[in-house]
Amino acid sequence: MSVPSPRPATVTTVDALVVGAGLAGLYMLHRLRGLGLDTVVVEAGDGVGGTWYWNRYPGARCDVESLEYSYSFSTELEQEWEWTEKYPTQPEILRYVEHVADRFGLRDGVRLSTSVTAAHWDDARGRWHVTTDAGDAYDAEQLVMATGCLSMAKTPEVPGTDSFAGRTFHTGHWPHEKVDFTGRRVAVIGTGSSGIQTIPMIAEEAAELTVFQRTPNFSMPASNRPLDPADQAERKRTYREHRQAARTSGFGVPVEAATQSALEVSDAERDARYEAAWGVNLVGLLSSYTDTIVDRAANDTAAEFVRRKIRETVTDPQVAETLSPRDHPFGTKRPCLDTNYYATYNRDHVHLVDLKATPLAEITPRGVRTSEREYEVDDLVFATGFDAMTGALLAIDVVGRDGATLRERWADGPTTNLGLQVAGFPNLWMITGPGSPSVLSNMMVSIEQHVDFVADCLAYAHDRGETVVESTPEAETEWTEHVRVVGEATLYPQANSWYMGSNVPGKPRRFMAYIGGVGAYREHCDDLAARGYPGFAFS
Ligand code: N01
């Protein structure tokens, strides 16, 4: 039998290629088209939406408020779109993204069901040669990675993950059709944001739900509710001021700046303040005092406040203790917002297995085996997270100047200039890349800021007849060092978190995001732009 020869590659020449049609990739396409650049977006999914296309698990919703987690670039869009709930569900966000794609005529620029496999820089021509799994190729001056910070789903590193005979799901790759758990014995492995959102929903249907927890997380009540039309109208009336406040804030969500240490107030005053922040939003508790994220004793007061709430909610004291985080400071793993998460453990058919006491040993054809026993189940749900921040970028064979690969360059962890560029990889841009505020912020604020920076920088270059923009090695070294110093001044490195790369065996342990605040970061970027982009070489 003859082996079919590979289909000859069709090479499409474009000004810019964008990888990923999520919130970042679509806005990048809009901006680049606005500059008159012929741009194509390549997207692995068979629809637009990125994170909100893939993460369809029951209970999936954003834990940043809908009126904050939305584009600000178009006042018309801002005014015409009506959100229905304080925290938008995945289907509602996906409808919004699809509306944006239609409203701004973006769909014809997106090639769906196609993954970029390699990108090689051709120094002689000053262009990227990009190949895809569909067998086609692109010749592009600019290459923008809008690949998402949390898009490479991972399963536990235990034997037998493929051996399970029942149904298997990963929260990050959920089926498009509704999954019915009625009457079934279900296992959920993982208690991060995804697990904490989906566990109460699955418990509503399942006959038995067993949750396998390695590390308990801090979670706060979402207090989700339908949006009051009058409140929405008022926000729309004052949107400009509000967006500005978000852009200059620490986390991309306006909160009143703290002025006091948690340790300089009385217990009663502190408790009252935490109580007032409880259930308001994701960042309120963390932002209540100036030192929560830098001083362990101050942090302990917030951590103990959450643990007390857990004890007040969960009736079995042993279960409450197992659910209480003690291994990491509050906020150093991403806190969660939930609806009835802790109360779910009061239900008779919901069981908690502490993997710290009895570690996960293997997945068997019948279920989950810990060091203690086997748990037979019908369905297995992996809520086990992602190879965050670098996973999607390093899945692509990126080769820059002189044959240098991004995988080699980042063997000891990611180094970047502003989370936007890497020296030796000209015209390669990352949207919310490692070393930028990205995952420590309202992603919409950070996405828009990065997309605008890239578009403005390209306009600046092209106006001057330059086609190549590349970070200098010095600027990259300096920025990476700054990210490290600022990160190490906080408690974040004390946690085994995906921020640190700790959830992926063998991944270098390095705090990958910039905790200097989105306001300070933006100011720095704006200042560089105003001064002709020092730290970037144009040719
Ligand atoms: O993933 P995670 P996620 N054996 O990495 C456990 C965003 N997000 O999908 O902590 C046993 O947080 C792991 O245990 P441990 C948000 O930024 C936002 O939940 O590593 N357990 C952990 O409990 C979030 O932070 C929203 O010890 C294993 C869990 O699996 C990020 O996405 C909603 C294991 C993974 O938790 C990721 O959240 C959802 C193993 N081998 C997600 N490997 C909202 O906006 C992993 N685990 C609401």
Side-chain angles (χ1 to χ4, degrees):
M1 212 173 94
S2 68
V3 179
S5 56
R7 186 158 66 85
T10 353
V11 182
T12 307
T13 300
V14 290
D15 294 325
L17 188 79
V18 178
V19 188
L23 291 160
L26 289 177
Y27 180 43
M28 193 76 248
L29 173 63
H30 178 65
R31 282 294 323 259
L32 292 174
R33 280 183 164 174
L35 295 178
L37 299 183
D38 180 19
T39 305
V40 165
V41 181
V42 173
E43 164 57 49
D46 61 12
V48 299
T51 287
W52 303 106
Y53 170 87
W54 297 104
N55 289 267
R56 297 167 184 252
Y57 57 85
R61 66 172 78 232
C62 186
D63 56 13
V64 175
E65 292 179 32
S66 50
L67 291 164
E68 316 267 6
Y69 192 87
S70 47
Y71 288 118
S72 70
F73 72 84
S74 160
T75 46
E76 295 81 11
L77 171 68
E78 207 170 57
Q79 292 298 323
E80 75 201 10
W81 183 266
E82 290 289 316
W83 294 101
T84 64
E85 292 179 77
K86 178 180 177 189
Y87 293 107
T89 60
Q90 174 272 330
E92 185 166 18
I93 302 174
L94 191 56
R95 278 199 299 281
Y96 173 74
V97 182
E98 288 176 343
H99 169 75
V100 169
D102 291 332
R103 191 189 189 293
F104 296 96
L106 302 174
R107 286 194 194 267
D108 63 350
V110 182
R111 307 283 170 274
L112 297 172
S113 310
T114 308
S115 295
V116 166
T117 49
H120 293 194
W121 174 250
D122 180 341
D123 206 28
R125 299 175 59 244
R127 297 181 71 86
W128 284 96
H129 181 72
V130 180
T131 48
T132 76
D133 63 353
D136 46 18
Y138 292 87
D139 176 71
E141 180 195 293
Q142 303 294 328
L143 176 60
V144 184
M145 298 297 193
T147 40
C149 298
L150 295 152
S151 46
M152 285 291 286
K154 66 175 282 294
T155 48
E157 301 72 23
V158 288
T161 45
D162 292 333
S163 71
F164 181 61
R167 299 186 301 180
T168 306
F169 307 95
H170 192 293
T171 48
H173 280 282
W174 202 263
H176 286 205
E177 59 284 358
K178 174 176 163 48
V179 176
D180 189 1
F181 290 106
T182 307
R184 297 178 72 86
R185 297 167 304 170
V186 184
V188 175
I189 302 178
T191 52
S193 299
S194 305
I196 280 177
Q197 285 189 331
T198 207
I199 284 163
M201 300 295 288
I202 295 177
E204 288 293 321
E205 289 182 357
E208 293 289 332
L209 172 60
T210 309
V211 177
F212 294 85
Q213 171 194 274
R214 186 165 65 183
T215 313
N217 240 309
F218 291 98
S219 189
M220 301 170 283
S223 312
N224 186 42
R225 56 170 191 272
L227 274 180
D228 178 341
D231 291 346
Q232 183 155 197
E234 175 59 14
R235 172 60 59 80
K236 287 183 174 182
R237 202 183 60 72
T238 56
Y239 238 146
R240 297 278 53 80
E241 297 93 297
H242 193 86
R243 298 294 200 186
Q244 188 53 23
R247 290 181 190 130
T248 54
S249 68
F251 294 108
V253 175
V255 283
E256 203 185 316
T259 53
Q260 284 178 297
S261 157
L263 304 175
E264 68 180 82
V265 297
S266 70
D267 290 354
E269 186 182 335
R270 196 190 311 113
D271 264 14
R273 178 147 193 157
Y274 288 155
E275 202 64 62
W278 187 246
V280 173
N281 61 24
L282 187 65
V283 296
L285 199 60
L286 201 56
S287 310
S288 293
Y289 292 101
T290 52
D291 47 0
T292 313
I293 209 61
V294 293
D295 182 290
R296 188 66 195 243
N299 188 285
D300 280 345
T301 64
E304 185 47 32
F305 181 83
V306 183
R307 288 193 289 262
R308 199 173 77 211
K309 291 288 186 187
I310 297 171
R311 288 193 294 274
E312 284 169 8
T313 309
V314 178
T315 47
D316 180 329
Q318 185 54 48
V319 175
E321 183 51 31
T322 305
L323 288 167
S324 296
R326 295 194 184 272
D327 74 308
H328 63 280
F330 172 68
T332 56
K333 292 178 96 152
R334 194 169 180 282
C336 306
L337 290 189
D338 72 86
T339 301
N340 296 329
Y341 175 63
Y342 293 117
T344 295
Y345 292 94
N346 294 335
R347 303 181 71 165
D348 289 340
H349 69 299
V350 178
H351 318 288
L352 181 64
V353 176
D354 180 2
L355 296 178
K356 281 271 156 62
T358 58
L360 190 58
E362 62 172 330
I363 305 298
T364 69
R366 292 186 303 186
V368 179
R369 187 190 300 282
T370 65
S371 60
E372 187 188 45
R373 53 165 280 207
E374 183 177 24
Y375 295 81
E376 282 187 34
V377 293
D378 304 311
D379 298 321
L380 184 51
V381 175
F382 292 117
T384 41
F386 303 87
D387 182 353
M389 311 209 52
T390 56
L393 292 162
L394 296 181
I396 300 171
D397 176 36
V398 181
V399 182
R401 246 187 237 291
D402 303 323
T405 70
L406 193 59
R407 286 178 193 146
E408 285 160 1
R409 276 294 306 278
W410 284 4
D412 296 329
T415 60
T416 68
N417 184 6
L418 299 170
L420 281 160
Q421 277 212 329
V422 181
F425 297 82
N427 291 1
L428 176 71
W429 302 93
M430 293 168 290
I431 303 302
T432 64
S436 70
S438 62
V439 292
L440 295 174
S441 70
N442 172 357
M443 286 300 285
M444 288 298 304
V445 173
S446 290
I447 284 171
E448 285 195 324
Q449 188 251 336
H450 263 193
V451 167
D452 288 337
F453 184 95
V454 173
D456 293 349
C457 184
L458 291 180
Y460 175 91
H462 289 170
D463 282 353
R464 283 158 183 74
E466 313 283 20
T467 55
V468 178
V469 188
E470 179 181 0
S471 168
T472 64
E474 297 76 21
E476 179 185 324
T477 305
E478 201 180 314
W479 181 255
T480 303
E481 178 60 8
H482 175 62
V483 171
R484 186 188 68 75
V485 168
V486 175
E488 285 180 5
T490 72
L491 302 173
Y492 281 97
Q494 292 187 18
N496 286 322
S497 63
W498 58 256
Y499 295 143
M500 296 294 297
S502 325
N503 66 330
V504 178
K507 192 164 173 172
R509 206 167 185 286
R510 182 190 281 246
F511 185 55
M512 292 186 284
Y514 178 56
I515 184 61
V518 301
Y521 175 81
R522 173 186 295 267
E523 204 177 304
H524 178 64
C525 290
D526 288 351
D527 174 60
L528 293 179
R531 291 191 290 120
Y533 301 95
F536 294 88
F538 295 82
S539 57

